[in-house]
Amino acid sequence: MTTTTISASTLETFPNPAPQRDFHIHMEIPEFTCLCPKTGQPDFATLLLDYIPDQTCVELKSLKLYIWSFRNTGCFHEAVTNRILDDLASATQPRYMRLTARFYVRGGIFTTVIADHRQTGWTPVPMVQLADFASQSNTRA
């Protein structure tokens, strides 16, 4: 099994275009791959990254390259999820960040790992619940 040293320093950021407000960034990364540390076989997952930025946002190409760097690295699901969250939180210093890692079936078991990071002292603004409306279309018969 091959292992690679992964550097969080490859994560680049850019200034938050609206630091005066909380807004939610959602990313889906459907092609995450790492290796099982026991067997060396590949593990596949979809990563869901949700965060509320403070002063910076993560740059997408650097995120892609960072995520790809795990392809030849042996790691347990729980460890890799927490490591990615720690590296992203360190790079961006978000108000809030959640990483959900949905691993594909292995040995008849699906594993989902969810890890959160919250900036000290930050609490979310209460969410406004708008009414749900049925889908409307003037093209339906």
Side-chain angles (χ1 to χ4, degrees), residues 34-139:
C34 62
L35 299 176
C36 172
K38 292 284 192 179
T39 67
Q41 295 296 308
D43 282 331
F44 302 94
T46 294
L47 304 181
L48 304 173
L49 178 64
D50 292 281
Y51 73 104
I52 297 173
D54 192 10
Q55 298 303 307
T56 62
C57 300
V58 68
E59 190 275 327
L60 294 182
K61 183 176 180 183
S62 73
L63 176 60
K64 175 183 75 172
L65 295 174
Y66 171 76
I67 293 299
W68 284 0
S69 72
F70 286 91
R71 286 186 173 176
N72 294 319
T73 302
C75 37
F76 290 104
H77 299 165
E78 299 80 0
V80 73
T81 303
N82 280 282
R83 177 167 182 183
I84 292 170
L85 176 68
D86 288 344
D87 288 348
L88 286 166
S90 179
T92 62
Q93 298 296 307
R95 294 175 188 161
Y96 177 80
M97 183 174 279
R98 170 178 286 159
L99 181 63
T100 302
R102 293 183 178 157
F103 286 88
Y104 295 89
V105 68
R106 181 164 42 115
I109 299 171
F110 286 100
T111 302
T112 299
V113 180
I114 302 169
D116 289 334
H117 165 84
R118 182 181 306 268
Q119 190 179 73
T120 303
W122 178 80
T123 56
V125 175
M127 194 162 122
V128 175
Q129 293 291 342
L130 300 175
D132 290 331
F133 295 95
S135 177
Q136 298 180 17
S137 173
N138 59 0
T139 60

